[in-house]
Amino acid sequence: MPLLALGLNHRTAPVEIREKVAFPPERLPEALRELVRLPAVNEAAIVSTCNRTELYCGVEALEQERLLRWLAGYHRLPAEVLAPNVYVHPEQSAVRHILRVASGLDSMVLGEPQILGQIKDAYRAATEAGTLGRVLGRLFQHTFAVAKQVRTDTAIGSSPVSVAFAAVRLAQQIFGDLARQTALLIGAGETIELVARHLVEQRIGRIIVANRTVERAAHLAEAVDGYAIALKEIPTHLADADIVISSTASPLPILGKGAVERAIRERRHRPMFMVDIAVPRDIEPEVAELDDVYLYTVDDLRDVIEEGLASRREAARQAEEIIDVQARRFMDWVRALEAVGSIRTLREQADAVREEVLEKALRRLAAGRDPAETARWLAHTLTNKLLHAPSVGMRQAALEGREGVIEAAHELFRLGPPPRRG
């Protein structure tokens, strides 16, 4: 059964297109069951995230146009709108693609780990919808194992590659476990939102969000189970903060040396980690002179990020080698699976011939025929019947000049190399 992956992602389609073909989780079961009702589709799974929508199907024939029309029709879009943004991966290319996706090699941020969880969600949804068969079910299990191998055998996910991630990683290096720490995030833009997400993933104890517009701070704080304050309230809460990360568009510093000095005294000189991501800076440079304060700027993080990217690029090369090997290994399993049916049919035919000849031999013995003669008759007849079909096929292939069939027969029956034509 052929495999086919069809989809679009952040590299091939703008967000205006991606958002139109996303599958909300609550509609996924219905969509999966509708997909497998297509005449050529035997099994299916759908991976749908903010960066990609992909159909993985076991199909009777590689009918990509039918899948494209279904995807467009399901979302009430003209197929010609989607067509320029769509990629198609057949067979081994489909296997290699899902292995790369799960390993973070096809992500916007190289090596990011979230996509593996999203693929596991897709597997779970397809399993519950009853749309996974033997091949796709095995493919997903193989994918999870390979993604784990890539994470274990390479450094693809070990180095920070964004300012937000680098800031949180440095905080971990200073404090270790963040579960007992309080973070004060100043600003509520995209970078601070990403910082908040990384902190939550690391099980930060508490988050305070300060912003000029309190409503915006409250929106972010609610998403991360935090607490929102106005900028003017920072001095009241600063001493509670073990971690301070700031990224605003303020033209002037928001935190001065005096305010931080007072907070350190209130904290009885417990260390405070501060990252100023803003340009112009939000935290006065003189704060770095204070004891028990670790102040980093965006330039300080740049080296950490570049080291992380270089490390991940090297790890990605190693991961590609693992994926190439594992994609071939999976396709070997698929091809062996395809032979199982043929082998079963061959054995059933041989069993039927054996039973037929054996029944006749038993009747001969019951009629008083000589056992030795009957045994020779049985062996001769069984051999002739088993070899009749292959012999006729080889003779016909020779007459028609189909040398490939003759070569295959020599390989299957261990006949040695075919004789040279004189």
Side-chain angles (χ1 to χ4, degrees):
M1 176 182 62
L3 284 167
L4 191 68
L6 179 146
L8 46 81
N9 64 15
H10 57 281
R11 291 191 178 89
T12 68
V15 67
E16 310 88 74
I17 296 292
R18 298 201 308 274
E19 65 188 6
K20 290 177 180 176
V21 296
F23 289 87
E26 64 275 11
R27 293 183 61 189
L28 208 48
E30 164 216 338
L32 285 163
R33 287 190 283 267
E34 183 177 316
L35 181 53
V36 295
R37 283 197 291 268
L38 293 178
V41 179
N42 297 320
E43 48 183 313
I46 298 174
V47 175
S48 184
T49 74
C50 58
N51 284 333
R52 70 183 64 246
T53 293
E54 295 177 338
L55 313 180
Y56 291 92
C57 300
V59 294
E60 295 173 6
L62 298 176
E63 299 187 34
Q64 60 196 56
E65 287 300 323
R66 179 173 292 177
L67 289 179
L68 174 60
R69 288 197 301 273
W70 178 84
L71 180 62
Y74 186 87
H75 294 286
R76 294 179 172 81
L77 294 170
E80 55 270 21
V81 171
L82 285 188
N85 305 283
V86 165
Y87 45 80
V88 176
H89 294 289
E91 298 289 77
Q92 186 165 320
S93 177
V95 176
R96 189 173 185 278
H97 180 71
I98 193 172
L99 296 184
R100 294 187 77 254
V101 171
S103 300
L105 300 184
D106 195 55
S107 298
M108 188 175 291
V109 176
L110 181 65
E112 61 92 5
Q114 286 80 15
I115 184 61
L116 179 58
Q118 292 164 333
I119 291 179
K120 288 182 177 179
D121 290 341
Y123 169 75
R124 193 176 302 111
T127 300
E128 292 173 357
T131 62
L132 281 188
R134 185 175 186 181
V135 175
L136 277 186
R138 176 70 174 258
L139 175 58
F140 274 89
Q141 293 299 328
H142 188 68
T143 296
F144 302 148
V146 172
K148 181 179 179 181
Q149 181 185 357
V150 167
R151 294 276 163 185
T152 302
D153 294 354
T154 76
I156 191 69
S158 63
S159 305
V161 293
S162 69
V163 169
F165 193 28
V168 174
R169 178 58 60 87
L170 282 175
Q172 283 181 292
Q173 291 175 3
I174 291 172
F175 293 106
D177 183 12
L178 300 184
R180 297 181 179 179
Q181 313 304 319
T182 294
L184 170 61
L185 307 183
I186 304 175
E190 185 177 335
T191 300
I192 289 296
E193 186 176 344
L194 189 56
V195 167
R197 179 148 52 95
H198 287 311
L199 286 170
V200 169
E201 288 170 0
Q202 299 306 319
R203 294 181 169 82
I204 185 72
R206 182 178 175 224
I207 293 179
I208 302 170
V209 182
N211 193 54
R212 195 174 305 279
T213 306
V214 180
E215 290 78 9
R216 190 167 181 183
H219 180 73
L220 174 56
E222 183 180 358
V224 295
D225 196 23
Y227 177 70
I229 62 174
L231 291 183
K232 64 184 180 182
E233 298 179 79
I234 287 177
T236 306
H237 296 272
L238 188 57
D240 296 330
D242 306 291
I243 299 165
V244 178
I245 301 176
S246 186
S247 178
T248 76
S250 173
L252 299 172
I254 291 172
L255 276 181
K257 183 179 178 180
V260 177
E261 196 168 18
R262 286 191 296 274
I264 286 293
R265 283 199 300 270
E266 286 184 52
R267 291 172 58 81
R268 298 186 179 181
H269 295 276
R270 283 184 292 119
M272 181 182 287
F273 170 71
M274 310 183 81
V275 181
D276 189 353
I277 301 174
V279 179
R281 285 177 282 186
D282 286 337
I283 303 172
E284 287 183 348
E286 292 76 15
V287 169
E289 300 169 1
L290 297 173
D291 292 335
D292 305 309
V293 174
Y294 300 85
L295 175 61
Y296 292 82
T297 68
V298 69
D299 286 347
D300 296 324
L301 297 181
R302 189 168 292 131
D303 289 341
V304 177
I305 294 165
E306 186 50 44
E307 286 174 11
L309 280 172
S311 173
R312 288 197 178 192
R313 283 191 289 266
E314 175 57 33
R317 284 191 287 272
Q318 299 168 7
E320 295 283 8
E321 294 175 5
I322 293 172
I323 286 168
D324 285 341
V325 170
Q326 293 295 345
R328 288 194 297 270
R329 186 168 296 173
F330 182 82
M331 290 308 298
D332 288 344
W333 176 82
V334 170
R335 283 187 283 269
L337 187 65
E338 290 171 350
V340 167
S342 300
I343 293 170
R344 184 183 297 114
T345 301
L346 180 62
R347 285 190 174 276
E348 288 172 353
Q349 289 180 352
D351 287 344
V353 170
R354 181 197 64 208
E355 291 301 316
E356 176 192 347
V357 176
L358 179 59
E359 181 63 30
K360 290 180 179 179
L362 292 173
R363 286 202 297 269
R364 281 172 169 258
L365 291 173
R369 304 289 287 269
D370 179 62
E373 178 202 348
T374 300
R376 283 192 293 272
W377 176 89
L378 185 149
H380 177 75
T381 304
L382 187 58
T383 301
N384 282 346
K385 282 184 172 290
L386 290 176
L387 294 181
H388 175 72
S391 299
V392 171
M394 290 173 65
R395 189 177 297 113
Q396 188 64 32
L399 289 173
E400 295 173 1
R402 290 182 290 152
E403 296 180 7
V405 174
I406 304 300
E407 291 174 359
H410 275 257
E411 181 177 350
L412 284 171
F413 297 113
R414 305 289 195 269
L415 303 179
R420 294 178 178 274
R421 296 179 63 182

